[in-house]
């Protein structure tokens, strides 16, 4: 079946096949004769390429911006991974980063500026490209490894967690803080959050709380844990492999891994309370359950969760909860199509300006005083939430994924 799908993909070779390793190599040497780097060179350097005998690595390279994803980075990742999948000389691929972050998610400040400049179509194009890459990664035919060494937020998780092997470290900090900026957990988040144990996904989506690398291992978000100081050994070992055998790759990573367990103060030891509170049908009922639990147990965790929820956009909270609940019963492609509809509604300001207001308050003006609209949960009508999930009209194309080619049995 894999060979059948690979042949189908090979038959769809695209003009950008130039983006294989030989092109990058020749382009690199050509640039040495240029007195001044071009804008194209600058964009290319936001995602670097490292070639080994039987593998390739994409390196996110915007360390000063915590490797936040720009439209050009999302496009380059897609082109690279497509060309690598088609290249029979490449056995497996990797993704890693430079700096103290793996990827802090989408560059929402750039999206905010595009919206304010009236360039909403460019925002839509970004989400199309990003979500198509997430789907590509989730259906990739070759073994792939992501090394999440550092901050991993929002879409940064989306471009790594759907993959085969996810390596985390003592420096990994993961979160989905979208509701706190008036957006929604996207890039496949409604798929993987909804599949976490119990109602942990709802808790993470509504509060934006963080997990460390050990906790990611424990709840299944990651496959391997290693101390960051041993990452060079892992990369050296993987770089020497002449194989496409996933078991060989897995064992090579595990050779430098650690067996770890969450600390006693970890939120993962509060599963009973998480399930009791976050299994409720509505955000209002979740808040009521947390308030009752806080009064009965005097657990500070309840108050922290309540405060995080109350900081978020009321509309975002309701949209996020509905999205995750629907995602629990949908495959990745359907989750991405739904998330695209939601994102289009946010950036088009059809229902609310909360996305731009949240980015303004937290990342632009940094007054941390967003003026949400609607202002309270009880003012968010059901039909307003439902509009985010309604199929786009005939003048607004839906997200078009290559499901028939990549998953012909679906």
């Amino acid at each position: 079946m894999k060979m059948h799908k690979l042949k189908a993909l090979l038959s769809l070779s695209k003009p950008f096949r130039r983006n294989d390793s030989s092109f990058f190599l020749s382009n690199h040497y050509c640039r040495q004769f240029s007195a001044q780097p071009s804008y194209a060179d600058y964009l290319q350097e936001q995602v670097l390429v490292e070639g080994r005998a039987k593998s390739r690595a994409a390196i996110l390279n915007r360390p000063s911006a915590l490797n936040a994803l720009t439209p050009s980075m999302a496009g380059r990742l897609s082109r690279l991974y497509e060309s690598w999948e088609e290249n029979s000389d490449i056995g497996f691929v990797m993704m890693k980063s430079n700096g103290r972050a793996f990827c802090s998610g989408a560059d929402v400040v750039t999206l905010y500026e595009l919206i304010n400049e009236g360039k909403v179509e460019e925002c839509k194009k970004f989400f199309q490209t990003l979500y198509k890459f997430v789907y590509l990664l989730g259906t990739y035919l070759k073994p792939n490894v992501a090394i999440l060494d550092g901050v991993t937020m929002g879409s940064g998780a989306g471009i790594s967690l759907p993959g085969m092997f996810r390596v985390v470290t003592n420096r990994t900090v993961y979160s989905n803080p979208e509701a706190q900026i008036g957006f929604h957990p996207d890039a496949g988040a409604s798929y993987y959050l909804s599949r976490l144990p119990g109602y942990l996904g709802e808790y993470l989506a509504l509060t934006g709380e963080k997990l460390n690398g050990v906790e990611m291992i424990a709840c299944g978000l990651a496959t391997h844990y290693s101390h960051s100081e041993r990452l060079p050994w892992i990369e050296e070992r993987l770089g020497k492999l002449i194989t496409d055998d996933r078991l060989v790759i897995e064992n090579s990573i595990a050779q430098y891994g650690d067996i770890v367990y969450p600390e006693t103060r970890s939120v993962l030891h509060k599963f009973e309370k998480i399930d009791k509170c976050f299994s409720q049908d509505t955000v209002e009922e979740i808040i009521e359950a947390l308030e009752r639990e806080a009064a009965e147990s005097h657990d500070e965790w309840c108050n922290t969760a309540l405060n995080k929820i109350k900081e978020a956009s009321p509309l975002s909270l309701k949209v996020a909860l509905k999205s995750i609940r629907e995602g629990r019963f949908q495959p990745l492609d359907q989750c991405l199509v739904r998330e695209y509809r939601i994102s289009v509604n946010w950036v088009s300001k059809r229902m609310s300006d909360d996305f731009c207001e949240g980015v303004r308050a937290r990342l632009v003006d940094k007054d941390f005083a967003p003026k949400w609209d609607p202002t309270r949960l009880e003012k968010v009508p059901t039909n307003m939430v439902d509009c985010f999930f309604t199929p786009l009209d005939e003048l607004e194309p839906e997200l078009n994924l290559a499901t028939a080619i990549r998953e012909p049995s679906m």
Side-chain angles (χ1 to χ4, degrees), residues 71 106-116 123 126-127 355:
D107 188 341
V108 293
V109 173
T110 294
L111 295 176
Y112 166 86
E113 292 170 348
L114 288 172
I115 294 170
N116 287 338
C123 297
F126 167 71
F127 289 118
F355 174 52

Side-chain angles (χ1 to χ4, degrees), residues 275-304:
D275 288 354
K276 181 179 179 180
C277 297
F278 286 85
S279 63
Q280 304 299 317
D281 291 336
T282 68
V283 179
E284 291 92 333
E285 290 172 337
I286 289 172
I287 290 175
E288 290 173 3
L290 283 168
E291 289 173 340
R292 284 195 303 271
E293 187 64 31
E296 294 171 4
S297 67
H298 304 288
D299 189 339
E300 187 57 33
W301 170 83
C302 298
N303 292 322
T304 300

Side-chain angles (χ1 to χ4, degrees), residues 28-323:
H28 171 76
Y29 286 117
C30 287
R31 287 206 308 268
Q32 306 310 306
F33 296 98
S34 174
Q36 213 168 14
S38 68
Y39 182 63
D41 293 334
Y42 166 73
L43 295 179
Q44 185 163 288
E45 288 169 1
Q46 292 182 349
V47 179
L48 302 175
V49 173
E50 187 175 85
R52 299 293 178 91
K54 192 69 176 180
S55 65
R56 297 290 185 274
I59 307 171
L60 306 181
N61 190 42
R62 291 187 73 209
S64 62
L66 300 181
N67 294 315
L69 288 170
T70 62
S72 61
M73 290 172 72
R76 181 157 161 77
L77 284 171
S78 292
R79 293 189 296 273
L80 288 173
Y81 270 63
E82 286 175 348
S83 67
W84 293 342
E85 189 176 51
E86 296 172 359
N87 190 336
S88 59
D89 293 330
I90 296 175
F92 67 97
V93 302
M94 290 177 55
M95 187 185 299
K96 57 183 182 176
S97 65
N98 286 330
R100 64 187 181 92
F102 170 70
C103 177
S104 60
D107 188 341
V108 293
V109 173
T110 294
L111 295 176
Y112 166 86
E113 292 170 348
L114 288 172
I115 294 170
N116 287 338
E117 293 169 4
K119 299 177 180 178
V120 175
E121 293 302 316
E122 292 188 30
C123 297
K124 296 176 186 177
K125 180 63 176 176
F126 167 71
F127 289 118
Q128 290 171 12
T129 305
L130 174 61
Y131 297 173
K132 286 179 180 180
F133 176 71
V134 173
Y135 181 65
L136 173 68
L137 184 64
T139 57
Y140 211 64
L141 299 180
K142 295 180 178 180
N144 52 89
V145 181
I147 299 178
L148 284 60
D149 184 34
V151 174
T152 304
M153 297 166 59
S155 298
I159 62 170
S160 54
L161 296 187
M164 187 175 292
F165 302 120
R166 291 92 63 194
V167 182
V168 293
T169 74
N170 54 297
R171 302 199 319 149
T172 305
V173 180
Y174 158 81
S175 66
N176 277 99
E178 290 91 345
Q180 279 66 35
I181 61 166
F183 201 55
H184 69 112
D186 69 326
S190 67
Y191 177 80
Y192 60 77
L193 286 177
S194 65
R195 283 157 176 77
L196 293 181
Y199 293 87
L200 179 62
E202 281 90 335
Y203 164 73
L204 294 173
L206 300 185
T207 64
E209 280 289 8
K210 303 176 180 66
L211 295 182
N212 60 33
V214 176
E215 292 167 329
M216 291 181 72
I217 285 284
C219 71
L221 284 171
T223 59
H224 296 80
Y225 181 95
S226 175
H227 197 282
S228 60
E229 291 182 354
R230 287 198 291 275
L231 287 181
W233 301 350
I234 293 177
E235 292 182 30
E236 182 179 8
R237 172 67 178 153
L238 292 176
K240 292 179 179 178
L241 294 181
I242 311 294
T243 186
D244 58 1
D245 188 326
R246 60 169 293 170
L247 291 178
V248 174
I249 296 166
E250 183 175 14
N251 291 334
S252 297
I253 300 172
Q255 182 179 348
Y256 299 101
D258 298 298
I259 298 175
V260 289
Y261 301 95
E263 296 179 355
T264 55
R265 62 182 180 179
S266 168
V267 69
L268 299 188
H269 292 295
K270 298 186 181 293
F271 265 124
E272 184 177 345
K273 290 182 179 179
I274 289 174
D275 288 354
K276 181 179 179 180
C277 297
F278 286 85
S279 63
Q280 304 299 317
D281 291 336
T282 68
V283 179
E284 291 92 333
E285 290 172 337
I286 289 172
I287 290 175
E288 290 173 3
L290 283 168
E291 289 173 340
R292 284 195 303 271
E293 187 64 31
E296 294 171 4
S297 67
H298 304 288
D299 189 339
E300 187 57 33
W301 170 83
C302 298
N303 292 322
T304 300
L306 281 167
N307 290 335
K308 288 285 188 178
I309 291 173
K310 291 175 180 178
E311 289 175 1
S313 154
L315 180 55
S316 289
L317 290 170
K318 292 200 171 188
V319 169
L321 183 62
K322 181 177 174 67
S323 183

Side-chain angles (χ1 to χ4, degrees), residues 134-135 138-139 162 187-192 194-195 323-339 399 401 403 407 409-410:
V134 173
Y135 181 65
T139 57
S190 67
Y191 177 80
Y192 60 77
S194 65
R195 283 157 176 77
S323 183
I324 290 172
R325 294 282 163 86
E326 290 193 4
R328 190 165 272 124
F329 305 100
Q330 294 177 329
L332 177 61
D333 64 310
Q334 292 180 22
C335 286
L336 290 167
V337 169
R338 171 175 31 76
E339 290 173 4
L399 180 66
L401 299 172
T403 310
E407 299 180 280
S409 61
M410 293 293 288

